[in-house]
Amino acid sequence: SFDMFVDPQTETTLKEKHAELCSKTRVFADKEAQMTNEFVAEKDKLQQRIAEVEALVLHEKSEIERVHVNLKAAETELGLSAKKCCEVESKLRDADGEMRKLKQEVARLEKALQSRNDAFSSLDGLGERSKEVLAVIRNLQSASDAMESAVTCLHCLGPLRSCVTVVPCGHNLCGGCWDKAKLMGGTCPECGDETMNHAENDALDQLASKFTFQKQALASLFNNPVFAPMTIQK
């Protein structure tokens, strides 16, 4: 037997070494198990973080695609807006041309009315000359009626007051009617198109005031007692 050749002291030393080695082996095994558990935990955390980063990347990619789509839509809308602005500018130029024509017509009518008023002062009775004057007044009244639609609000059908021109459709409205239209949803009450803006039309507003004055002046001529014995056919 091996024990027969080992003295007791050496055997004790070997047993102690063996016990120490076993103890160190258990400690190493415990540390190895601990390190394995920590590694697994860190691995799980890392995989979870990778999943979160991948989800964030997918979300950001989706946001980038959405922004790209919105940018394309905005570019398209800007192109349409530019086209509408060109159309509005063209309509405003046409409106300016019509405004100048209306001003010229009003000036001509005012001049004609002034001439007829001057002629009234020289009338001496109700002869043939008075009938001619009344015929001229009838013609002025007809011209005034023909021009009335140009200075009438398309919404309330009254004379334009504080006139505004709706953009881009170009319809003319009273300031009060425009304020009501904005409260009702911002669409033109005449055509129903969506409104982008409006422009104050002082020239047409002044023209409407002059037209109203002219209409009242013609009405006062028809109601003048000097012409009471005569019947005017309209």
Side-chain angles (χ1 to χ4, degrees), residues 173-192:
L173 302 170
C174 292
C177 294
W178 167 247
D179 291 337
K180 293 178 182 179
K182 287 193 296 184
L183 294 176
M184 296 299 292
T187 57
C188 176
E190 175 63 16
C191 63

Side-chain angles (χ1 to χ4, degrees), residues 83-101:
K83 183 179 179 181
K84 286 185 177 181
C85 286
C86 291
E87 293 175 355
V88 169
E89 289 177 355
S90 177
K91 289 182 178 181
L92 287 176
R93 285 194 296 270
D94 294 341
D96 287 338
E98 291 296 326
M99 197 76 63
R100 286 192 293 270
K101 291 180 181 179

Side-chain angles (χ1 to χ4, degrees), residues 113-180:
L113 181 60
Q114 183 61 43
S115 299
R116 300 314 171 196
N117 287 337
D118 294 341
F120 272 120
S121 61
S122 61
L123 289 176
D124 187 17
L126 298 175
E128 293 298 321
R129 181 58 178 168
S130 297
K131 293 180 180 180
E132 294 176 2
V133 170
L134 290 174
V136 171
I137 294 175
R138 274 202 307 273
N139 292 335
L140 288 174
Q141 183 68 42
S142 298
S144 177
D145 293 339
M147 193 179 67
E148 186 171 5
S149 61
V151 292
T152 298
C153 176
L154 300 175
H155 186 56
C156 66
L157 301 180
L160 289 170
R161 292 181 294 274
S162 302
C163 176
V164 297
T165 299
V166 181
V167 177
C169 63
H171 290 121
N172 297 311
L173 302 170
C174 292
C177 294
W178 167 247
D179 291 337
K180 293 178 182 179

